[in-house]
Structure formats: C-alpha cells, structure tokens
Amino acid sequence: MKRKRRTEILINGDRNVAVTLAREILGKYVVKTIEEPNDGLVMVKVRETAKNSLFYLGEVYVTECKVEINGHIGIGILKGYDPDLTYYLAVIDAAYHAQLQETDKWKEALLAEEARINERRKKSFRKVLKTKVNFETMDV
C-alpha cells in the first residue's frame, strides 16, 4: 500500500487504528524522535486551468513530526493541531520504511478501515441527495 493512501486512511479513519498500530511498534522497538511534534505553515499550490499555470492559494496550518526506527526515518504531517496523531503517523511511516515484520499484517486492518470510511461517506452523500431538488418535475 502506498504512503499517501495509508496516511489518508489513518487520518480520516478511527483514531484508534493509528494508536493501535503505533503502540505495537513502540512496545517492541527503540523509536528515536528526531523532531518533536510542532506546528507550522505549508503553502498550498494550485494549478489554474485557463492558463495552466501554478500559483499559491494560501497557507495551511499543520502539525509535523519526524522519528527514526533502525536508521529509517518516518514523517507524520497533518492539517490542524494534533501532536499525538502526528507522532503515531511518523512511527507507522518509519515502520514501513524499515520494513518491519509487523507491517505485513497491517494491510487487512487498513483496508477494513478504508471500507468503513467509504461507507460513512456514502451514507453522508445519500443524506445530501435526499435534499436535492429535481427542477425538471416542478410545476411552474
């Protein structure tokens, strides 16, 4: 599973998934913190479609963290302020970079959480569709 997909699942899903996976690593390996969770700003780059040019839309407030496991660096970054989750994301990322044996069985848990996220989004979308007005059938 690619880093982007894995991170989106961990950020958008149940927080306990990230906590459980990270604690599994924290209990067995030495995790060296390179950069404590701290806040910062990241520029948001957007492509303008008419001229196909890039410009900076603005800044986003983020929390970021870096850790090291067995010489492999992991990065955790997310929008907003959540130092604990950022740390857990960094630990999980470092575990994948170090190719620790625990990561082999995580795919099932991540896929199950992704399915729950998708189902939650579908339910929300269905609620929105109930309020949709069909102007074709309205008598004027």
Side-chain angles (χ1 to χ4, degrees):
M1 182 177 295
K2 297 209 183 248
R3 175 195 257 176
K4 181 180 177 182
R5 182 177 175 196
R6 178 179 69 235
T7 304
E8 285 177 356
I9 293 168
L10 293 169
I11 290 172
N12 295 322
D14 183 5
R15 180 187 192 90
N16 291 326
V17 174
V19 171
T20 302
L21 300 181
R23 285 189 178 158
E24 187 176 343
I25 297 301
L26 291 167
K28 295 180 182 177
Y29 298 92
V30 176
V31 178
K32 179 183 172 189
T33 303
I34 296 173
E35 183 180 321
E36 292 284 337
N38 59 44
D39 49 347
L41 295 171
V42 175
M43 294 295 291
V44 178
K45 194 184 300 186
V46 177
R47 182 167 304 278
E48 187 270 325
T49 56
K51 293 182 180 179
N52 201 26
S53 61
L54 292 173
F55 70 97
Y56 290 101
L57 183 64
E59 298 173 326
V60 173
Y61 181 73
V62 298
T63 309
E64 56 187 337
C65 177
K66 291 181 186 170
V67 300
E68 181 181 341
I69 300 173
N70 294 344
H72 296 275
I73 295 176
I75 300 170
I77 185 167
L78 57 88
K79 181 176 68 171
Y81 183 74
D82 193 342
D84 294 333
L85 184 56
T86 305
Y87 179 73
Y88 295 141
L89 291 173
V91 169
I92 293 166
D93 189 49
Y96 270 99
H97 283 288
Q99 297 177 348
L100 301 179
Q101 63 184 7
E102 288 80 4
T103 61
D104 295 336
K105 59 184 175 183
W106 288 355
K107 186 175 182 178
E108 293 173 23
L110 291 170
L111 290 175
E113 187 59 29
E114 184 179 44
R116 283 190 286 277
I117 293 167
N118 290 335
E119 188 57 38
R120 193 170 60 236
R121 286 181 179 160
K122 285 179 187 176
K123 284 181 182 177
S124 176
F125 189 64
R126 285 193 294 266
K127 281 183 179 179
V128 171
L129 284 178
K130 286 180 182 179
T131 65
K132 185 177 176 182
V133 176
N134 185 352
F135 290 100
E136 299 286 324
T137 61
M138 289 182 67
D139 288 332
V140 183

